[in-house]
């Protein structure tokens, strides 16, 4: 992983249980999918089926 600074409320936030949740912006900055089933995965990875689902986002 590239060595860069991450910023709270921009790259991640803490959920109600106190876990760090990375944002879509962070994942795009990182540049690849880790296949962990992240909540904000911009790559469309589905952990249940171990496949990538094409996501069509409107700008």
């Amino acid at each position: 992983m590239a060595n860069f600074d991450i910023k709270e409320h921009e790259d991640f936030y803490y959920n109600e249980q106190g876990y760090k949740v990375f944002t879509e912006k962070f994942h795009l900055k990182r540049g690849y999918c880790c296949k962990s089933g992240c909540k904000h995965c911009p790559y469309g990875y589905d952990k249940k089926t171990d496949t990538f689902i094409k996501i069509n986002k409107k700008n």
Side-chain angles (χ1 to χ4, degrees):
M1 181 156 109
N3 189 14
F4 52 84
D5 293 328
I6 60 172
K7 299 174 186 157
E8 188 172 359
H9 305 297
E10 184 177 317
D11 296 315
F12 74 94
Y13 60 89
Y14 290 100
N15 68 10
E16 293 172 355
Q17 293 78 27
Y19 292 105
K20 192 180 284 187
V21 179
F22 290 104
T23 63
E24 179 178 9
K25 184 175 182 175
F26 170 81
H27 291 292
L28 292 171
K29 188 188 299 186
R30 182 176 58 189
Y32 64 91
C33 180
C34 62
K35 293 187 174 183
S36 294
C38 299
K39 181 175 184 175
H40 301 292
C41 180
Y43 302 106
Y45 180 71
D46 184 346
K47 190 173 183 174
K48 293 176 187 170
T49 61
D50 192 30
T51 59
F52 289 91
I53 301 168
K54 184 176 180 182
I55 298 175
N56 292 322
K57 288 191 174 186
K58 293 182 180 182
N59 294 334

